[in-house]
Amino acid sequence: MVKAKAAAADVRIPQNRDEAAAMISEYGAAAIEVLRIEAELKQKLADEKKAAEDLAAPYLKKAEDIYKGLHVYCAANRQQLLGNSGTKTVDFGTGTVKWRHNPPKVKISGGEEGVIELITQKKAAAVAKKDAATEAAYGNFLRVKVEIDREAMLKNPDLARTISGVSIPKGGEMFEVEPFGAEISESAA
């Protein structure tokens, strides 16, 4: 109880309805000022970013052109550059060039639902043929995600509370101040 009084003593507290209305108006004005300052900051950042991009543009173009030229040269002279070294890296003294294979990736066409259905059908066909290995292989292509259904627990809180580690505290009450004309609101639980 003492802590609540001490905390309240640090802030201005309205003494009547008119003072509360005036404080809400002040709160709204402060909130609008914060939004104005944030908008100003965002504009300054956007301007600085644009200026930096404009400064960097010729260097980016130059770097792209150099990269393309190096790629053409190295592709044309790959056998001479690599020789029979067994590596796919060439050291030029000022830097290296490398040839690397991209790792394989799975592309799904026609939508995931259709592919899931096809996998399920192939898995079922393997079950019908009593081919456990093929069934397991197709089964590995599908994931089953198990997660807690919190909404179901809220619908049956007495049963949910019997589970160790589950608690369902009361929601509590919130206090909000929403001044007219401001896009900011502050909540206290």
Side-chain angles (χ1 to χ4, degrees), residues 61-77 97:
K61 175 70 172 124
K62 182 178 180 179
E64 282 179 30
D65 292 345
I66 291 169
Y67 177 87
K68 288 176 185 175
L70 285 168
H71 186 253
V72 169
Y73 169 79
C74 291
N77 296 289
V97 294

Side-chain angles (χ1 to χ4, degrees), residues 30-124:
I32 289 170
E33 189 62 19
V34 167
L35 292 173
R36 186 194 63 74
I37 291 168
E38 287 175 350
E40 207 173 273
L41 173 64
K42 287 178 184 176
Q43 184 59 49
K44 286 179 183 178
L45 289 173
D47 293 345
E48 287 295 319
K49 182 178 179 184
K50 176 78 170 100
E53 287 172 350
D54 290 347
L55 282 173
Y59 297 104
L60 285 171
K61 175 70 172 124
K62 182 178 180 179
E64 282 179 30
D65 292 345
I66 291 169
Y67 177 87
K68 288 176 185 175
L70 285 168
H71 186 253
V72 169
Y73 169 79
C74 291
N77 296 289
R78 183 175 180 162
Q79 184 61 40
Q80 180 186 359
L81 293 170
L82 294 175
N84 293 326
S85 65
T87 67
K88 293 188 177 193
T89 302
V90 178
D91 186 351
F92 283 94
T94 57
T96 60
V97 294
K98 302 174 185 180
W99 285 267
R100 297 284 179 254
H101 288 287
N102 290 330
K105 62 181 176 181
V106 175
K107 289 186 178 183
I108 305 293
S109 59
E112 285 199 22
E113 294 82 18
V115 174
I116 290 170
E117 182 61 32
L118 288 172
I119 292 170
T120 305
Q121 290 172 2
K122 290 184 177 283
K123 186 178 173 190

Side-chain angles (χ1 to χ4, degrees), residues 120-132 135:
T120 305
Q121 290 172 2
K122 290 184 177 283
K123 186 178 173 190
V127 169
K129 292 180 185 178
K130 297 184 181 188
D131 184 355
E135 175 197 355

Side-chain angles (χ1 to χ4, degrees), residues 27 31 176-179 182-187:
Y27 177 80
E176 287 189 4
V177 176
E178 293 182 15
E183 295 177 22
I184 189 171
S185 71
E186 191 168 313
S187 300

Side-chain angles (χ1 to χ4, degrees), residues 151-161 168:
E151 284 132 22
M153 287 183 164
L154 286 173
K155 289 177 185 172
N156 194 348
D158 294 333
L159 181 61
R161 285 186 184 103
I168 303 176

Side-chain angles (χ1 to χ4, degrees), residues 127-150:
V127 169
K129 292 180 185 178
K130 297 184 181 188
D131 184 355
T134 304
E135 175 197 355
Y138 280 120
N140 288 337
F141 292 159
L142 300 174
R143 284 192 196 135
V144 178
K145 184 176 180 182
V146 178
E147 58 188 7
I148 295 172
D149 187 349
R150 287 176 166 79

